[in-house]
Amino acid sequence: MINYEGAVFRPPSEARSLIIQATIGCSHNKCTFCSMYKEKTFRARDFSDVEKDLISARSMYSSIRRIFLADGDALILSTERLVQILESVRRIFPECERVGIYGTSRSINLKSEQELIHLRELGLGIVYLGLESGNDEILRSINKGESSEDIVRAGKKARKAGLLVSVTAISGLGGQRLRTEHAKDTAKALSLMNPDFIGFLSLMVEPGTQLWEEVSSGSFTLLTPQEIIEEMVIFLKNIDSPGTVFRSNHASNYFSLYGNLNEDIPSMLGELDEAMKDQDLLRHEFMRRL
Ligand code: SF4
């Protein structure tokens, strides 16, 4: 049996991966919109417990092609510990083609390029990195603890080391006041980073978070679905990231988009134009989820 502690999260594209908790919780755990790890105190799991889970999984599955190391952000573990885990994965699952992991800019920037290359050589294939917004005022207001420049540097460094980089941004995170800045600066940061994948979620406010209180008190005003679409139009008119796969097909979004940058920008703008004319094309509020 695999021992999972608390709720376990993974990126949508890791839906078919074996999830193994290398850490518990998030080493930052302070973003105002995030409730994922609020009930957990961050710690690294003992290597012996991680290995026990890998051995249990081996007895349960005949073939595992992808493994995702949870929680957020497991990349903060020391390189030595990650090497230990990746070597164990290789030994127990020789057929595994890719290991994925959540990373913050801090966890990437603390490692040398050589260390990242070593991890890649041992099977680490993809890092999921949250930019959330490219605007520093927004990043400060959500307590991200990192600047746009930090996150761009981390993304570029991971790519240079040969890792796939998948970056998440959140529509509506600037609220009414900073919505144009959010769209433009996020496009600017992602253009500089030129990641392999960009995924957009749309902001959902969860009870128990600081953002919930800000919305309740009126200090943060959410965007309407129409305004979220307009924000995405500004983003797409400003992004320049050739070769990036773009997705906003997460269940939190009012409208799903999928395409390759930059060539599919005109067709995606056309789809958004249709969505603005016909509200029936938008996902109903009650069907949205994280
Ligand atoms: S958004 Fe990411 S970095 Fe921020 S608290 Fe949540 S898991 Fe941690």
Side-chain angles (χ1 to χ4, degrees), residues 94 137 180 285:
E137 185 177 346
T180 306
E285 198 64 55

Side-chain angles (χ1 to χ4, degrees), residues 5-278:
E5 194 173 314
V8 176
F9 300 90
R10 46 103 188 126
S13 51
E14 299 284 343
R16 303 174 77 174
S17 305
L18 168 67
I19 313 291
I20 297 289
Q21 283 175 302
T23 56
I24 302 297
C26 163
S27 67
H28 179 59
N29 215 11
K30 292 187 185 115
C31 297
T32 61
F33 62 87
C34 176
S35 64
M36 291 201 294
Y37 304 110
K38 285 285 178 264
E39 279 151 26
K40 296 182 181 179
T41 303
F42 179 78
R43 67 179 165 85
R45 282 184 87 207
D46 288 345
F47 172 68
S48 58
D49 290 335
V50 175
E51 196 168 48
K52 265 187 222 153
D53 281 351
L54 288 168
I55 293 167
S56 294
R58 178 75 288 174
S59 66
M60 294 160 69
Y61 304 106
S62 59
S63 177
I64 291 288
R65 294 176 60 192
R66 291 190 176 178
I67 291 178
F68 181 74
L69 298 178
D71 282 336
D73 60 327
L75 194 58
I76 198 73
L77 289 173
S78 68
T79 301
E80 292 70 27
R81 172 57 60 84
L82 288 166
V83 165
Q84 226 179 355
I85 295 171
L86 291 168
E87 285 178 343
S88 188
V89 165
R90 274 219 164 149
R91 212 170 39 251
I92 298 168
F93 294 100
E95 77 277 19
C96 179
E97 293 164 2
R98 188 177 89 180
V99 178
I101 199 163
Y102 277 133
T104 55
S105 71
R106 188 164 148 256
S107 65
I108 295 172
N109 289 331
L110 279 171
K111 291 183 170 55
S112 69
E113 194 185 321
Q114 210 44 51
E115 287 176 296
L116 293 173
I117 290 171
H118 187 41
L119 296 176
R120 194 248 301 149
E121 287 168 348
L122 288 173
L124 186 65
I126 184 164
V127 178
Y128 296 88
L129 176 65
L131 169 68
E132 331 304 2
S133 173
N135 180 275
D136 281 331
E137 185 177 346
I138 296 172
L139 290 176
R140 277 192 298 277
S141 73
I142 62 164
N143 262 337
K144 183 71 182 165
E146 302 164 335
S147 68
S148 168
E149 193 191 333
D150 294 332
I151 304 169
V152 169
R153 185 155 50 91
K156 286 166 95 168
K157 186 173 177 180
R159 280 207 85 194
K160 197 159 169 236
L163 294 164
L164 291 171
V165 175
S166 179
V167 184
T168 307
I170 304 178
S171 291
L173 195 61
Q176 289 287 352
R177 193 171 68 80
L178 292 170
R179 64 191 174 116
T180 306
E181 290 83 350
H182 177 50
K184 286 187 174 170
D185 291 343
T186 302
K188 190 172 159 193
L190 288 168
S191 300
L192 287 169
M193 217 189 298
N194 186 220
D196 299 278
F197 304 96
I198 294 173
F200 263 84
L201 286 76
S202 290
L203 184 63
M204 293 190 74
V205 186
E206 295 189 273
T209 59
Q210 189 182 320
L211 188 61
W212 177 275
E213 286 166 28
E214 289 169 18
V215 171
S216 306
S217 71
S219 62
F220 185 96
T221 311
L222 293 167
L223 301 193
T224 64
Q226 185 81 11
E227 287 165 341
I228 293 273
I229 301 287
E230 287 166 13
E231 190 185 84
M232 184 55 75
V233 169
I234 299 172
F235 171 82
L236 285 176
K237 284 184 174 171
N238 284 273
I239 185 76
D240 177 14
S241 185
T244 299
V245 174
F246 175 90
R247 298 188 190 104
S248 71
N249 51 4
H250 186 265
S252 62
N253 291 310
Y254 290 103
F255 189 73
S256 289
L257 285 177
Y258 180 89
N260 292 316
L261 302 180
N262 293 331
E263 63 264 34
D264 293 335
I265 291 174
S267 61
M268 289 195 282
L269 284 171
E271 287 180 58
L272 290 175
D273 194 42
E274 290 301 312
M276 280 200 274
K277 288 182 204 148
D278 183 358

